[in-house]
């Protein structure tokens, strides 16, 4: 079906999100931009004229799911690959999936409405499709215009996510994020507060602040701690939290604030990735096991009863049984409320991609299962204790 043969009919767009909370928020930004431009957001891919996949490139598995999903869509629709995978493959994505019409990286999302208009107009031209296929890609953007954050579109108007920083400059050796999302950039405090205030005015009362490494936030003299204090003082806000903290930038003062600020949730997501010093060094994490454990014990001391969660990668290149046992012991001793466990996935562009992926698929699966089962037991026990 051509996208808009009837000029009065709005073009319907279906958007599917893969990946992290940052991507969920990006999808809201895209929906906001599309609505503002007069498109209709619809929740049924079959009825849509345009399908957008907002994607993740962190692990191969996430990418595989997207390629097979694209292949499953019916022909005759305009299909767009957006987000981290789009930035990863750029125009090379067109040869991976022939039915793709556009490819847009995370730094170029404001261009999506115009691209869809161009493609819809093109698909209306009689016989245009039979002559040649129109493809558009935008993956050269460096920063987003601030206004993309201010369309006021949130999936849940009570609990909203607000981005405070974009990108990452840490270059952990396994991670593709700095390559596809660019270097760390901070939004201005005044813009963040303007967005939050406007959401509060419209009835929100709970906020999650988002960034790959929120602790590194800086706007002139104002650091993350000062930002938290300002947000805590906003009228109408009931509670707030933040994601994600990098251990190397997490200080005791943060724990004091988590304890003292009335509205800030007593919770911390602090990815450890591995319990082995040797592996942490190869991962370029910038801390060792002792540093991490000391940080956790300070947190526990200052924030009584505070929740703690983490991310762990099993099967990093050269991870031995001994290295793995150190991670297992760290999980056992720390008592995380939740842990997200991932099997190492080699990513092109990254430094560890050059290393041989030594741990077999089967071994990774086994290590993954062992930590998962251990953690499920710990999480269950902690939940029961909390209920008492
Ligand atoms: N393989 C497996 N897991 C990864 N992560 C990041 N890169 C990779 C990779 N190449 C995990 C880390 C990070 C989480 C968001 O994804 O644990 O904290
Ligand atoms: Fe990736 Fe490391 Fe940056 Fe997190 S801190 S996004 S793991 S490079």
């Amino acid at each position: 079906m051509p996208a808009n043969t009837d000029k009065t009919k709005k073009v319907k767009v279906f958007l599917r999100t893969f990946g992290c909370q940052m991507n969920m928020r990006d999808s809201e930004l895209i929906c906001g931009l599309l609505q503002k431009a007069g498109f209709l957001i619809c929740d049924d891919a079959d009825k849509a004229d345009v399908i957008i996949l907002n994607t993740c490139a962190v692990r191969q598995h996430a990418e595989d799911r997207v390629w097979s999903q694209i292949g499953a869509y019916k022909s005759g629709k305009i299909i767009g690959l957006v987000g981290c995978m789009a930035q990863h493959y750029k125009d090379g994505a067109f040869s991976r999936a022939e039915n793709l019409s556009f490819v847009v990286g995370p730094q170029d999302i404001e261009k999506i409405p115009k691209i869809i208009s161009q493609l819809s107009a093109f698909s209306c031209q009689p016989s245009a499709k039979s002559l040649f296929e129109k493809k558009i890609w935008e993956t050269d953007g460096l920063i987003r215009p601030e206004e993309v954050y201010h369309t006021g579109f949130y999936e849940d108007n009570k609990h909203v996510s607000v981005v405070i920083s974009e990108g990452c400059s840490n270059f952990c050796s396994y991670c593709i994020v700095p390559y596809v999302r660019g270097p760390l950039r901070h939004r201005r405090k005044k813009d963040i507060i303007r967005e939050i205030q406007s959401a509060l005015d419209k009835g929100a009362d709970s906020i999650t602040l988002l960034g790959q490494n929120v602790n590194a936030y800086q706007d002139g003299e104002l650091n993350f701690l000062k930002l938290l204090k300002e947000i805590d003082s906003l009228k109408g806000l009931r509670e707030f939290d933040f994601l994600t903290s990098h251990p190397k930038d997490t200080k005791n003062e943060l724990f004091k604030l988590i304890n003292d600020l009335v509205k800030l949730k007593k919770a911390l997501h602090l990815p450890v990735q591995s319990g082995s010093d040797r592996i942490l060094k190869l991962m370029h994490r910038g801390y060792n096991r002792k540093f991490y454990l000391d940080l956790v014990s300070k947190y526990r001391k200052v924030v009584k009863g505070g929740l703690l969660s983490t991310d762990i990668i099993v099967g990093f290149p050269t991870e031995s049984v001994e290295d793995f046992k150190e991670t297992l012991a760290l999980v056992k001793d720390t008592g995380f409320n939740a842990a997200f466990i991932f099997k190492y996935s080699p990513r092109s562009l990254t430094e560890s991609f050059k290393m041989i992926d030594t741990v077999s698929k089967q071994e990774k699966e086994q290590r993954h299962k062992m930590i998962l089962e251990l953690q499920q037991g710990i999480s269950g026990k902690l939940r029961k204790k909390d209920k008492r």
Side-chain angles (χ1 to χ4, degrees):
M1 183 184 72
N4 59 351
T5 37
D6 174 359
K7 288 280 178 205
T8 59
K9 202 176 137 242
K10 284 191 174 185
V11 175
K12 293 195 216 80
V13 185
F14 170 82
L15 197 152
R16 180 162 173 201
T17 313
F18 296 80
C20 65
Q21 265 170 287
M22 207 75 175
N23 260 15
M24 304 291 242
R25 179 62 190 136
D26 281 357
S27 287
E28 291 177 344
L29 300 181
I30 295 167
C31 286
L33 293 167
L34 288 169
Q35 267 191 351
K36 216 172 120 192
F39 295 95
L40 202 71
I41 308 300
C42 85
D43 56 11
D44 184 346
D46 285 337
K47 293 188 182 136
D49 308 302
V50 181
I51 293 174
I52 300 179
L53 298 145
N54 186 17
T55 59
C56 168
V58 164
R59 282 169 291 276
Q60 184 63 47
H61 176 65
E63 290 193 351
D64 293 343
R65 281 172 58 213
V66 171
W67 292 128
S68 74
Q69 179 65 78
I70 294 173
Y73 286 128
K74 290 188 193 125
S75 61
K77 293 183 191 290
I78 294 171
I79 301 177
L81 182 75
V82 167
C84 295
M85 257 177 92
Q87 195 63 39
H88 189 194
Y89 289 88
K90 301 188 172 164
D91 54 326
F94 294 121
S95 45
R96 290 287 298 255
E98 281 182 8
N99 54 342
L100 268 185
S101 304
F102 66 98
V103 171
V104 176
Q107 282 73 251
D108 291 283
I109 55 169
E110 90 279 4
K111 295 169 189 151
I112 293 174
K114 198 171 158 205
I115 291 173
I116 295 179
S117 298
Q118 283 174 351
L119 290 168
S120 308
F122 183 82
S123 66
C124 285
Q125 289 170 21
S127 78
K129 273 206 157 247
S130 57
L131 286 175
F132 58 92
E133 210 83 51
K134 189 169 171 68
K135 311 265 181 193
I136 301 180
W137 67 99
E138 288 285 357
T139 50
D140 291 334
L142 296 176
I143 45 168
R144 296 170 170 181
E146 174 57 34
E147 283 317 301
V148 302
Y149 298 105
H150 298 276
T151 61
F153 188 105
Y154 302 98
E155 188 85 34
D156 175 354
N157 288 312
K158 284 301 267 184
H159 175 200
V160 307
S161 296
V162 173
V163 172
I164 65 164
S165 56
E166 290 281 356
C168 182
S169 299
N170 284 327
F171 291 95
C172 298
S173 63
Y174 50 82
C175 186
I176 199 168
V177 168
Y179 303 91
V180 290
R181 286 197 168 258
L184 181 66
R185 290 98 63 199
H186 309 290
R187 282 180 72 199
R188 305 293 307 271
K189 182 207 81 178
K190 66 172 175 53
D191 294 325
I192 296 169
I193 300 289
R194 173 159 71 100
E195 184 186 346
I196 295 178
Q197 194 58 63
S198 155
L200 295 176
D201 292 346
K202 287 186 197 135
D205 66 358
S206 174
I207 308 270
T208 295
L209 305 173
L210 294 180
Q212 306 292 350
N213 177 9
V214 288
N215 312 86
Y217 179 81
Q218 200 75 43
D219 177 16
E221 295 284 286
L222 185 123
N223 62 14
F224 184 54
L225 303 180
K226 288 184 186 152
L227 179 72
L228 291 178
K229 280 188 204 164
E230 282 221 18
I231 292 173
D232 193 69
S233 71
L234 293 175
K235 277 208 188 89
L237 180 66
R238 184 174 53 83
E239 58 171 22
F240 70 119
D241 58 3
F242 54 83
L243 273 177
T244 291
S245 291
H246 194 302
K248 77 175 170 56
D249 296 315
T250 303
K251 306 273 180 311
N252 216 16
E253 288 78 43
L254 175 69
F255 305 153
K256 288 193 191 117
L257 274 194
I258 296 179
N259 191 56
D260 295 347
L261 293 181
V262 186
K263 297 172 190 171
L264 189 53
K265 285 193 200 167
K266 311 279 172 270
L268 183 68
H269 183 62
L270 197 65
V272 63
Q273 311 298 0
S274 170
S276 151
D277 280 347
R278 199 180 65 81
I279 297 296
L280 285 171
K281 204 166 184 182
L282 289 172
M283 287 177 162
H284 296 171
R285 287 292 289 175
Y287 56 84
N288 60 18
R289 179 191 178 93
K290 182 174 181 313
F291 180 93
Y292 186 87
L293 291 175
D294 285 350
L295 207 55
V296 168
S297 81
K298 280 182 210 155
Y299 173 69
R300 298 249 196 253
K301 215 178 268 169
V302 179
V303 189
K304 294 272 181 299
L307 300 176
L308 183 68
S309 56
T310 200
D311 290 348
I312 288 168
I313 299 175
V314 296
F316 185 84
T318 78
E319 184 186 74
S320 64
V321 172
E322 285 313 307
D323 293 317
F324 171 69
K325 278 187 183 161
E326 292 202 55
T327 305
L328 207 59
L330 186 140
V331 170
K332 201 169 166 201
D333 297 344
T334 309
F336 295 106
N337 298 89
F340 301 90
I341 330 258
F342 306 105
K343 286 169 252 174
Y344 172 73
S345 171
R347 304 281 61 212
S348 63
L349 308 171
T350 66
E351 201 162 322
S352 68
F353 190 67
K354 295 174 208 146
M355 297 174 79
I356 300 166
D357 189 13
T358 50
V359 183
S360 69
K361 191 166 174 264
Q362 204 182 9
E363 186 64 31
K364 277 181 196 159
E365 263 156 27
Q366 216 167 357
R367 292 181 190 181
H368 182 265
K369 189 165 173 260
M370 277 175 83
I371 301 207
L372 198 67
E373 282 174 359
L374 171 66
Q375 183 55 44
Q376 277 167 349
I378 295 170
S379 298
K381 266 190 209 148
L382 290 172
R383 267 198 304 273
K384 266 190 209 150
K385 213 166 110 190
D386 277 351
K387 273 190 198 147
R388 269 194 259 136

